[in-house]
């Protein structure tokens, strides 16, 4: 088993929290059909969210509602409008890239669980009649669709030549070549199940994804595949994706989260400001930024967990919670690994249970990529994604 995280830094044991001020959430989309990504560029092909995926997202939304919007919960967000959503307290963004509308559709399911229909969503007209919104008071929460060609922030790992070079460097590295050799006999055994997909180890994400999707959606496949094969393909894909989406702190391998950091800083700073209305910021994304976030924050969990740093399950969530303390508000991180995981697990941030907000920002800011222009430079992209204007 690989242990991705060994180093840790310690902070004074300062945290004596007195309530949650707000939260920044990073949530993964739900179950979908097969998703092919070019192993050299991570350019996606189109795929679709399934009804199962929508249910998983709804369950995640309900879980988050129970955590943050129930006054009886220890992590209730003080002052949030829990039943009738107050859109001034919310920011919701979803990655519009990554193979069609899977992520945008996912966030709708999550929001349906987070703010379910309520008869409070009504209006009394001049003639005295009270009208409740459709579907029992369904709530429409505005979602910013983050279009990759207009805003690089949630999908910064495609069309990025320096990232492509990082991928090639990883594929040429000694650990990759060694793992490819370890994997080869297994992949040969797996090949008959792969419907002629390449068993080159560079294709490992797609191999895993094919197996995973077939396991969920193809009864024949499910009955034929030896039970040890799916976990083995998952382990190998975790190695592969960890190598692709991590790096030294300032390296381009962490770009998937580096471009999200600025909005995390802004949201947490706004939540800390008691004159500001913001309480909850939700970013619906793919699995990649999770890997980079855990790498950059040196995240560990007290539950022994070999896959922290691998592909998180569908409908996983990371919560960056801002808590009031005697002094400066503090950031802490919790993680729930998909639908089958019933609860949040606390993760460390830079070796600590919680970190003062200013320290959280100052530790991560040097690696943040703050604008399209900075992304163009970091990627050495001169034409696509809006970079031509800076050239
Ligand atoms: C309309 O909403 C208000 C709260 O905004 C609530 O008190 C009232 O009971 C609702 N009316 C109906 C008919 O549900
Ligand atoms: C009041 O206006 C609404 C909307 O036009 C209508 O549906 C309703 O029947 C009216 N109620 C009465 C009592 O006229
Ligand atoms: C399998 O894939 C190879 C290369 O992609 C292709 O040349 C070949 O025709 C495929 N075979 C079948 C049976 O689809
Ligand atoms: C289901 O799996 C079987 C066995 O691997 C395969 O032959 C079949 O083509 C698959 N069906 C679909 C729709 O992918
Ligand atoms: C982050 O990723 C790099 C490159 O894969 C790795 O060398 C490093 O150990 C990782 N850091 C942590 C804390 O996992
Ligand atoms: C806090 O929020 C208020 C209201 O949005 C704003 O006017 C003020 O500038 C903010 N303070 C800081 C320090 O950003
Ligand atoms: C997530 O859950 C899967 C099983 O669904 C498990 O194999 C994996 O190790 C878990 N990952 C983390 C980081 O907990
Ligand atoms: C982004 O801004 C932070 C300050 O908030 C700075 O430390 C960092 O270097 C900037 N990133 C780039 C790529 O210039
Ligand atoms: C940036 O890309 C151009 C080709 O588009 C290449 O000539 C140049 O060497 C690259 N610069 C760096 C610093 O990688």
């Amino acid at each position: 088993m690989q242990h991705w995280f060994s180093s840790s830094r310690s902070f004074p044991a300062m945290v004596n929290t007195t309530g949650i001020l707000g939260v920044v959430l990073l949530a993964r989309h739900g179950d979908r059909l097969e998703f092919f990504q070019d192993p050299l560029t991570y350019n996606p092909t189109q795929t679709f969210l399934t009804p199962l995926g929508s249910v998983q997202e709804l369950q995640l939304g309900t879980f988050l509602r129970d955590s943050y919007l129930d006054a009886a919960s220890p992590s209730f967000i003080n002052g949030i409008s829990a039943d009738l959503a107050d859109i001034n307290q919310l920011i919701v963004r979803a990655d519009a890239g990554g193979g069609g509308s899977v992520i945008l559709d996912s966030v709708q399911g999550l929001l349906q669980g987070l703010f379910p229909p309520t008869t409070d969503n009504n209006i009394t007209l001049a003639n005295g009649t009270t009208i409740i919104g459709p579907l029992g008071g369904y709530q429409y929460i505005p979602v910013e669709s983050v279009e990759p060609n207009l805003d690089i922030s949630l999908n910064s790992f495609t069309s990025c030549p320096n990232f492509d070079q990082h991928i090639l460097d990883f594929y040429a590295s000694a650990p990759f070549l060694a793992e490819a050799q370890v994997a080869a006999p297994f992949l040969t055994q797996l090949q008959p199940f792969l419907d002629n997909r390449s068993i080159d180890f560079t294709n490992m994400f797609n191999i895993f994804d094919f197996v995973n999707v077939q396991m969920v959606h193809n009864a024949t496949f499910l009955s034929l595949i030896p039970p040890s094969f799916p976990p083995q393909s998952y382990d190998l894909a975790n190695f592969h994706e960890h190598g692709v989406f991590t790096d030294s702190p300032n390296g381009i391998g962490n770009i998937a989260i580096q471009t999200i950091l600025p909005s995390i800083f802004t949201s947490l700073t706004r939540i800390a400001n008691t004159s500001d209305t913001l309480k909850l910021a939700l970013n619906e994304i793919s699995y990649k930024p999770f890997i980079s976030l855990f790498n950059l924050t040196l995240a560990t969990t007290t539950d022994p967990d070999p896959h922290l740093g691998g592909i998180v399950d569908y409908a996983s969530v990371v919560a960056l919670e801002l808590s009031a303390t005697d002094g400066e508000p503090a950031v802490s991180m919790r993680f729930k690994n998909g639908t089958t995981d019933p609860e949040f697990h606390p993760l460390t941030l830079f070796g600590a249970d919680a970190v003062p907000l200013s320290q959280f920002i100052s530790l991560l800011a040097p690696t943040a990529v703050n604008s399209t222009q900075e992304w163009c430079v970091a990627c050495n992209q001169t034409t696509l994604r809006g970079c031509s204007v800076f050239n």
Side-chain angles (χ1 to χ4, degrees), residues 11 297-299 320 331-333 347-355 360:
F11 285 86
T297 57
L298 317 179
L320 291 159
V331 185
S332 53
M333 181 157 72
L347 300 183
T348 59
L349 276 172
F350 306 101
D353 294 338
V355 176
F360 177 82

Side-chain angles (χ1 to χ4, degrees), residues 24-43:
V24 176
L25 300 168
L26 303 175
R28 191 184 176 204
H29 60 77
D31 181 75
R32 51 150 172 69
L33 300 183
E34 186 181 1
F35 182 51
F36 177 83
Q37 313 186 85
D38 184 317
L40 300 180
T41 61
Y42 278 70
N43 281 338

